Amino acid sequence: MKKINLKEIILGILALGCGVAAFWFWYKAVPEMIEGSFVNYASFYLPLGLLVLAALLFSLAAIFIANSFFAYALILVSVFIPYFFLPATSVVLLSLGISIFLVFSAVYRIRTEYMLSLGFHLTKILKSGLPTYLTAASLVIATLFFASLNEERALATLLPRPAMQAALPAIINYLIQPNGDSPEIGPDTTIFEALSAIIRGQLQTQGISEPRISPKELNAAVSLQIVELENRYGLKLTGKEKISDVFYGLVNNQILTLVGPYKKYLPHVSALTFFFAFKVITIPLYYVVMAILLVLIKIMVGFKILKSEIVEMKVERLTL
C-alpha cells in the first residue's frame, strides 16, 4: 500500500468536506424549492456552485490520490454522510446502496483509465467516471427532495402554482373574449370580479348590451354562482379570494380524490421526475467541470503542485 503524502491528505479532506457541504446546502434548499419560495436565483448559485466544486475535487482525488484505500474511503464517505440527514426508510436505504455503487464505479473507472493510459488525457480519463458521479449526485439530491415531500407537496411539484396562475386567466380570457370596456382577468382577480366578467360576457353574447345590464341583477347572479360553487365543491367563499388560488386548490383536491389509494405514490413519481430533470442539468455541468479542470491542472503544474514524471508500467496480457 502506497504511503499517503501531505498533498494527498489535503486533497482528500477537501473532497470530503466539499462533497458533504454541497449536499448539505441542497438539503437546506430543497424545501424552499418545494414550497415555491425558491424564486431568488442567487440562492440557487451556492448549492450548484458547491456541486461543481465537489465534482472538481472528486475528479482530482480519484486521479491523483495514489493510495487506493484512502481515495475510495473519503469519496464514498462524502456520499454516505448526507443520508444521515434523512430517516432510514426503504427508499432512502435503496438510494444509499445505489449511490455508493455508482460512486465506487465512478472512482474505479477513472483510476483504471488513468493507470492504463500511456499519456495524460483528461477527457478520456474522466469520460466514463465523471458522468457516473454526477448521476450519483443527482440521485442523492433527488432523495433529499423525496424525503421532504408528502402527497400534497408532491402534487404541487407536478402541478406548479405559477403554471396554474398563468394558464387559468388566459383560458378564461380566451373563452369570454373581454372587450375594451371589460378588464382582462389576471392571477390577482377575485372570484367576484371573475364571475362578474364571465356573466357579463355571456349576457353580451346573447345580445344584451353593457348599459342594459343591471348592476343589482349582476351582483345577484354572481352571488348565486358563488353559492353553487360552495355547494358543489364544499368550499367556503366570500368572493374576495383570488380566482387562481381557489381553482389551484380545487384542482389539487380533485386530482387527489381521483387517484384515490394511489396518491401515496405521488412523492415517488415527483422525485423520479425531479431526478431526471436534475440529471439533464448535470449534462452542461459535466462540460463546465471538464473545462475548469483543464485550466486548473495547468495551474497546478505551473505552481509545482503536480509534477510530470516518467514511470514504468507493467501490464498483464493473455498470450499464446
Side-chain angles (χ1 to χ4, degrees), residues 139 142 145-146 149 266-278:
L139 181 58
F145 181 83
F146 172 81
L149 292 176
L266 287 174
H268 300 75
V269 174
S270 179
L272 190 62
T273 304
F274 179 86
F275 167 75
F276 285 115
F278 199 89

Side-chain angles (χ1 to χ4, degrees), residues 39-317:
V39 295
N40 184 5
Y41 288 104
S43 303
F44 183 71
Y45 295 151
L46 180 58
L48 193 62
L50 283 173
L51 181 60
V52 171
L53 184 58
L56 287 169
L57 292 170
F58 157 80
S59 302
L60 292 174
I63 296 172
F64 295 115
I65 294 180
N67 187 292
S68 297
F69 177 80
F70 187 62
Y72 279 103
L74 287 176
I75 294 172
L76 290 174
V77 168
S78 70
V79 176
F80 183 79
I81 288 178
Y83 285 91
F84 282 103
F85 308 154
L86 308 176
T89 63
S90 57
V91 173
V92 171
L93 293 176
L94 177 62
S95 173
L96 172 60
I98 296 173
S99 297
I100 289 177
F101 171 78
L102 289 174
V103 172
F104 182 89
S105 175
V107 177
Y108 177 80
R109 292 177 181 181
I110 289 174
R111 293 179 70 82
T112 301
E113 185 62 40
Y114 173 67
M115 294 300 295
L116 296 179
S117 295
L118 297 179
F120 186 82
H121 306 286
L122 184 64
T123 55
K124 183 180 179 183
I125 293 171
L126 295 180
K127 183 173 64 174
S128 59
L130 182 56
T132 304
Y133 172 80
L134 292 174
T135 299
S138 301
L139 181 58
V140 174
I141 296 170
T143 306
L144 298 175
F145 181 83
F146 172 81
S148 300
L149 292 176
N150 55 27
E151 293 162 1
E152 288 73 20
R153 283 180 167 185
L155 184 57
T157 61
L158 295 171
L159 185 65
R161 182 183 292 270
M164 176 66 74
Q165 289 178 331
L168 181 65
I171 293 171
I172 295 177
N173 287 320
Y174 175 78
L175 293 175
I176 65 175
Q177 295 290 325
N179 55 34
D181 299 328
S182 303
E184 286 193 353
I185 294 174
D188 295 330
T189 304
T190 65
I191 286 288
F192 189 90
E193 293 169 342
L195 289 175
S196 297
I198 292 171
I199 293 173
R200 187 182 291 109
Q202 291 175 342
L203 292 175
Q204 289 175 348
T205 58
Q206 296 173 9
I208 302 176
S209 61
E210 179 72 24
R212 295 175 54 193
I213 300 175
S214 167
K216 183 177 180 180
E217 294 178 353
L218 180 62
N219 291 342
V222 171
S223 298
L224 286 175
Q225 290 297 318
I226 291 176
V227 171
E228 184 177 346
L229 287 173
E230 289 179 325
N231 294 335
R232 179 177 297 181
Y233 299 109
L235 302 174
K236 188 65 179 177
L237 302 173
T238 64
K240 297 180 180 180
E241 298 83 0
K242 294 180 182 178
I243 186 171
S244 57
D245 292 339
V246 172
F247 278 88
Y248 180 79
L250 182 60
V251 169
N252 277 6
N253 291 335
Q254 292 299 309
I255 292 177
L256 288 174
T257 302
L258 182 64
V259 297
Y262 299 104
K263 64 183 179 181
K264 64 182 180 180
Y265 297 111
L266 287 174
H268 300 75
V269 174
S270 179
L272 190 62
T273 304
F274 179 86
F275 167 75
F276 285 115
F278 199 89
K279 186 68 180 72
V280 171
I281 294 176
T282 63
I283 295 175
L285 285 186
Y286 167 78
Y287 294 102
V288 171
V289 171
M290 189 70 71
I292 295 175
L293 274 173
L294 289 169
V295 176
L296 183 60
I297 288 175
K298 289 184 179 296
I299 294 173
M300 294 173 73
V301 171
F303 282 93
K304 308 299 183 182
I305 299 173
L306 295 174
K307 59 181 182 294
S308 178
E309 61 181 24
I310 298 174
V311 298
E312 293 183 1
M313 182 175 61
K314 294 182 179 181
V315 179
E316 180 181 354
R317 299 186 186 278

